[in-house]
Amino acid sequence: MTLDNPIGIMDSGMGGISVLREITKLMPNENYIFYGDSKNAPYGSRSTEEIYHLTSDVVDKMLDMGVKAVVIACNTASSAAGKRLREKYPQLPIIAIEPALKPAVISCPGGRVLVLATEATLREQKFATLMEAWKDRAEIIKMPLPGLPEFVERGELDSPELRKFLMGYFSQLEGKKIDGVVLGCTHYPFVRKVISELFNNEVRIFDGAAGTARQLRRRLHSINMISNSSTPGNITWLNSSDDPEMIELSKKLYKIKLD
Ligand code: DGL
């Protein structure tokens, strides 16, 4: 293992690219493998056991490619598989992501925070523990959005159908004032602008990507695994889907401007 071995970043599909963007901003000289499991996406409506096995298979593939660390850039896979994978691979640095509930609640004290995530993320113990820790500081509303990752998987980041889909869910809030929105699924930052507009640009929006990138750097630093290269590294794009356009779409999502 050398310091220039790649860092493996995985997601159920394209969503983790929102995390990869933050990681490469922070550590441009590392090499990366991004593995999107689009063939098996979405993970969010699957059982815990299924999500664990799918995630574990991807981690095994990345280990065969010599990764020095793994980032589970998927809230769903992190909740369902993070702990078990750390037990399975005690020597491997595994960085997981969680919904950015803490910064949202701290920024909206006494307010109302809407957590958008998959069904699996919201039902797992990891989220229950997080919510228990912060529930007295703000009113927390959980809202699963099954069907939303599929829009991102086909590169549909704004359309009348997408807006109608989201409004169908947000109308369930019956006009309650929302102060903060947590994007607790790594696919959702790609539709952040639409979500913000549907709340009249009057909410603060939080996601866990930048925090996860900082956590990865801290972890690598603590074990002296940061690359000492002074030139930009490369990204190897992999996807389980047979559709060759998924790689093109991945590269497009990596570069697209998000606000
Ligand atoms: N990107 C994943 C997450 O962060 C979930 C999308 C899916 O359901 O596959 O939770």
Tab-separated table of all heavy atoms in Angstrom, residues 11-16 40-45 73-78 97 117-119 121 149-150 153 184-188, ligand 1:
chain	number	residue	atom	x	y	z
A	11	ASP	N	-21.529	4.821	-3.804
A	11	ASP	CA	-22.922	5.202	-3.543
A	11	ASP	C	-23.816	4.189	-4.237
A	11	ASP	O	-23.353	3.429	-5.110
A	11	ASP	CB	-23.207	6.613	-4.086
A	11	ASP	CG	-24.647	7.048	-3.822
A	11	ASP	OD1	-25.125	6.848	-2.686
A	11	ASP	OD2	-25.308	7.571	-4.738
A	12	SER	N	-25.104	4.218	-3.894
A	12	SER	CA	-26.067	3.375	-4.599
A	12	SER	C	-26.154	3.786	-6.068
A	12	SER	O	-26.689	3.046	-6.872
A	12	SER	CB	-27.442	3.520	-3.942
A	12	SER	OG	-27.884	4.861	-4.068
A	13	GLY	N	-25.654	4.955	-6.397
A	13	GLY	CA	-25.718	5.410	-7.784
A	13	GLY	C	-24.919	6.686	-7.950
A	13	GLY	O	-23.756	6.752	-7.569
A	14	MET	N	-25.599	7.724	-8.471
A	14	MET	CA	-24.921	8.986	-8.790
A	14	MET	C	-24.783	9.930	-7.586
A	14	MET	O	-24.005	10.867	-7.621
A	14	MET	CB	-25.746	9.753	-9.839
A	14	MET	CG	-26.011	8.999	-11.092
A	14	MET	SD	-24.506	9.039	-12.044
A	14	MET	CE	-24.829	7.718	-13.157
A	15	GLY	N	-25.621	9.719	-6.568
A	15	GLY	CA	-25.699	10.690	-5.482
A	15	GLY	C	-24.356	11.017	-4.850
A	15	GLY	O	-24.040	12.173	-4.592
A	16	GLY	N	-23.541	9.997	-4.637
A	16	GLY	CA	-22.258	10.196	-3.952
A	16	GLY	C	-21.333	11.163	-4.674
A	16	GLY	O	-20.339	11.631	-4.088
A	40	ASN	N	-28.305	-1.363	-9.073
A	40	ASN	CA	-29.096	-1.777	-7.900
A	40	ASN	C	-29.804	-0.619	-7.197
A	40	ASN	O	-30.437	-0.816	-6.168
A	40	ASN	CB	-28.202	-2.523	-6.906
A	40	ASN	CG	-27.685	-3.810	-7.491
A	40	ASN	OD1	-28.469	-4.638	-7.954
A	40	ASN	ND2	-26.371	-3.970	-7.544
A	41	ALA	N	-29.647	0.592	-7.744
A	41	ALA	CA	-30.317	1.747	-7.134
A	41	ALA	C	-31.814	1.684	-7.461
A	41	ALA	O	-32.175	1.147	-8.506
A	41	ALA	CB	-29.716	3.042	-7.687
A	42	PRO	N	-32.666	2.210	-6.609
A	42	PRO	CA	-32.331	2.830	-5.340
A	42	PRO	C	-32.183	1.800	-4.209
A	42	PRO	O	-32.789	0.751	-4.247
A	42	PRO	CB	-33.561	3.719	-5.083
A	42	PRO	CG	-34.699	3.031	-5.762
A	42	PRO	CD	-34.103	2.314	-6.941
A	43	TYR	N	-31.323	2.145	-3.256
A	43	TYR	CA	-31.146	1.299	-2.072
A	43	TYR	C	-32.232	1.610	-1.015
A	43	TYR	O	-32.518	0.793	-0.157
A	43	TYR	CB	-29.794	1.596	-1.397
A	43	TYR	CG	-28.554	0.958	-1.999
A	43	TYR	CD1	-28.550	0.357	-3.255
A	43	TYR	CD2	-27.355	0.980	-1.274
A	43	TYR	CE1	-27.386	-0.205	-3.769
A	43	TYR	CE2	-26.185	0.412	-1.786
A	43	TYR	CZ	-26.211	-0.173	-3.031
A	43	TYR	OH	-25.061	-0.720	-3.536
A	44	GLY	N	-32.738	2.840	-1.089
A	44	GLY	CA	-33.519	3.393	0.028
A	44	GLY	C	-34.785	2.667	0.409
A	44	GLY	O	-35.277	2.829	1.521
A	45	SER	N	-35.331	1.869	-0.512
A	45	SER	CA	-36.563	1.151	-0.162
A	45	SER	C	-36.278	-0.331	0.093
A	45	SER	O	-37.197	-1.130	0.236
A	45	SER	CB	-37.588	1.289	-1.295
A	45	SER	OG	-37.715	2.640	-1.658
A	73	ALA	N	-20.472	7.093	0.533
A	73	ALA	CA	-21.070	8.400	0.237
A	73	ALA	C	-22.564	8.256	-0.007
A	73	ALA	O	-23.112	8.789	-0.970
A	73	ALA	CB	-20.364	9.029	-0.958
A	74	CYS	N	-23.190	7.518	0.878
A	74	CYS	CA	-24.610	7.193	0.764
A	74	CYS	C	-25.132	7.074	2.187
A	74	CYS	O	-24.634	6.244	2.960
A	74	CYS	CB	-24.749	5.863	0.017
A	74	CYS	SG	-26.422	5.216	-0.076
A	75	ASN	N	-26.078	7.920	2.549
A	75	ASN	CA	-26.624	7.874	3.917
A	75	ASN	C	-27.277	6.530	4.205
A	75	ASN	O	-27.174	5.995	5.312
A	75	ASN	CB	-27.673	8.980	4.090
A	75	ASN	CG	-27.074	10.361	4.054
A	75	ASN	OD1	-26.714	10.908	5.079
A	75	ASN	ND2	-26.940	10.929	2.869
A	76	THR	N	-27.947	5.980	3.191
A	76	THR	CA	-28.671	4.726	3.351
A	76	THR	C	-27.692	3.585	3.651
A	76	THR	O	-27.865	2.826	4.605
A	76	THR	CB	-29.465	4.431	2.059
A	76	THR	OG1	-30.277	5.569	1.755
A	76	THR	CG2	-30.318	3.200	2.191
A	77	ALA	N	-26.659	3.475	2.819
A	77	ALA	CA	-25.670	2.413	3.001
A	77	ALA	C	-24.893	2.629	4.300
A	77	ALA	O	-24.557	1.662	5.005
A	77	ALA	CB	-24.722	2.382	1.804
A	78	SER	N	-24.618	3.885	4.640
A	78	SER	CA	-23.900	4.164	5.896
A	78	SER	C	-24.710	3.670	7.084
A	78	SER	O	-24.177	3.039	7.999
A	78	SER	CB	-23.654	5.671	6.062
A	78	SER	OG	-22.786	6.136	5.073
A	97	ILE	N	-21.362	8.630	6.097
A	97	ILE	CA	-22.039	9.945	6.109
A	97	ILE	C	-23.324	9.831	6.925
A	97	ILE	O	-23.880	8.734	7.056
A	97	ILE	CB	-22.325	10.406	4.652
A	97	ILE	CG1	-22.832	11.845	4.605
A	97	ILE	CG2	-23.290	9.472	3.918
A	97	ILE	CD1	-22.838	12.454	3.194
A	117	ALA	N	-34.829	12.248	3.547
A	117	ALA	CA	-33.880	11.128	3.406
A	117	ALA	C	-34.655	9.932	2.880
A	117	ALA	O	-35.857	10.033	2.631
A	117	ALA	CB	-33.237	10.810	4.757
A	118	THR	N	-33.970	8.804	2.734
A	118	THR	CA	-34.686	7.617	2.247
A	118	THR	C	-35.444	6.960	3.408
A	118	THR	O	-35.161	7.210	4.587
A	118	THR	CB	-33.717	6.584	1.639
A	118	THR	OG1	-32.888	6.068	2.678
A	118	THR	CG2	-32.872	7.178	0.523
A	119	GLU	N	-36.346	6.072	3.021
A	119	GLU	CA	-37.105	5.329	4.045
A	119	GLU	C	-36.135	4.575	4.959
A	119	GLU	O	-36.293	4.549	6.177
A	119	GLU	CB	-38.029	4.317	3.368
A	119	GLU	CG	-39.168	4.936	2.594
A	119	GLU	CD	-39.664	4.004	1.492
A	119	GLU	OE1	-38.908	3.752	0.528
A	119	GLU	OE2	-40.799	3.537	1.602
A	121	THR	N	-32.880	5.134	5.644
A	121	THR	CA	-32.107	6.001	6.550
A	121	THR	C	-32.954	6.407	7.747
A	121	THR	O	-32.503	6.370	8.899
A	121	THR	CB	-31.625	7.266	5.803
A	121	THR	OG1	-30.763	6.864	4.743
A	121	THR	CG2	-30.891	8.229	6.717
A	149	PRO	N	-34.433	9.727	-5.893
A	149	PRO	CA	-33.127	9.380	-6.494
A	149	PRO	C	-33.240	9.015	-7.980
A	149	PRO	O	-32.334	9.309	-8.758
A	149	PRO	CB	-32.657	8.176	-5.665
A	149	PRO	CG	-33.302	8.374	-4.339
A	149	PRO	CD	-34.651	8.964	-4.639
A	150	GLU	N	-34.375	8.442	-8.365
A	150	GLU	CA	-34.536	8.042	-9.769
A	150	GLU	C	-34.466	9.248	-10.709
A	150	GLU	O	-33.970	9.136	-11.832
A	150	GLU	CB	-35.871	7.305	-9.979
A	150	GLU	CG	-35.889	5.898	-9.399
A	150	GLU	CD	-36.355	5.823	-7.948
A	150	GLU	OE1	-36.045	6.742	-7.162
A	150	GLU	OE2	-37.009	4.820	-7.606
A	153	GLU	N	-30.835	9.888	-11.084
A	153	GLU	CA	-30.197	8.798	-11.845
A	153	GLU	C	-30.396	8.972	-13.346
A	153	GLU	O	-29.613	8.472	-14.142
A	153	GLU	CB	-30.768	7.436	-11.416
A	153	GLU	CG	-30.326	6.974	-10.041
A	153	GLU	CD	-28.841	6.629	-9.958
A	153	GLU	OE1	-28.380	5.790	-10.723
A	153	GLU	OE2	-28.152	7.244	-9.113
A	184	GLY	N	-30.756	14.669	3.527
A	184	GLY	CA	-30.141	13.488	4.160
A	184	GLY	C	-29.966	12.317	3.220
A	184	GLY	O	-29.979	11.155	3.646
A	185	CYS	N	-29.824	12.608	1.951
A	185	CYS	CA	-29.546	11.583	0.935
A	185	CYS	C	-28.641	12.274	-0.070
A	185	CYS	O	-28.904	13.428	-0.446
A	185	CYS	CB	-30.838	11.130	0.266
A	185	CYS	SG	-30.602	10.215	-1.284
A	186	THR	N	-27.577	11.598	-0.476
A	186	THR	CA	-26.570	12.284	-1.295
A	186	THR	C	-27.044	12.571	-2.724
A	186	THR	O	-26.390	13.315	-3.443
A	186	THR	CB	-25.256	11.475	-1.315
A	186	THR	OG1	-25.539	10.144	-1.791
A	186	THR	CG2	-24.641	11.402	0.069
A	187	HIS	N	-28.170	12.010	-3.119
A	187	HIS	CA	-28.734	12.379	-4.425
A	187	HIS	C	-29.374	13.779	-4.371
A	187	HIS	O	-29.431	14.471	-5.385
A	187	HIS	CB	-29.823	11.383	-4.851
A	187	HIS	CG	-29.304	10.097	-5.423
A	187	HIS	ND1	-28.713	9.129	-4.660
A	187	HIS	CD2	-29.308	9.619	-6.702
A	187	HIS	CE1	-28.379	8.093	-5.430
A	187	HIS	NE2	-28.730	8.375	-6.678
A	188	TYR	N	-29.899	14.152	-3.201
A	188	TYR	CA	-30.737	15.353	-3.136
A	188	TYR	C	-30.008	16.673	-3.411
A	188	TYR	O	-30.642	17.592	-3.935
A	188	TYR	CB	-31.476	15.447	-1.786
A	188	TYR	CG	-32.360	14.265	-1.419
A	188	TYR	CD1	-32.950	14.186	-0.158
A	188	TYR	CD2	-32.627	13.231	-2.311
A	188	TYR	CE1	-33.770	13.114	0.206
A	188	TYR	CE2	-33.433	12.143	-1.955
A	188	TYR	CZ	-33.997	12.095	-0.694
A	188	TYR	OH	-34.793	11.031	-0.327
B	1	DGL	N1	-27.750	8.247	-2.170
B	1	DGL	C1	-28.396	7.458	-1.190
B	1	DGL	C2	-28.374	8.135	0.176
B	1	DGL	O1	-27.561	8.996	0.442
B	1	DGL	C3	-29.737	6.863	-1.423
B	1	DGL	C4	-30.415	6.783	-2.720
B	1	DGL	C5	-31.081	5.439	-2.907
B	1	DGL	O2	-32.207	5.243	-2.416
B	1	DGL	O3	-30.439	4.611	-3.506
B	1	DGL	O4	-29.133	7.799	1.036
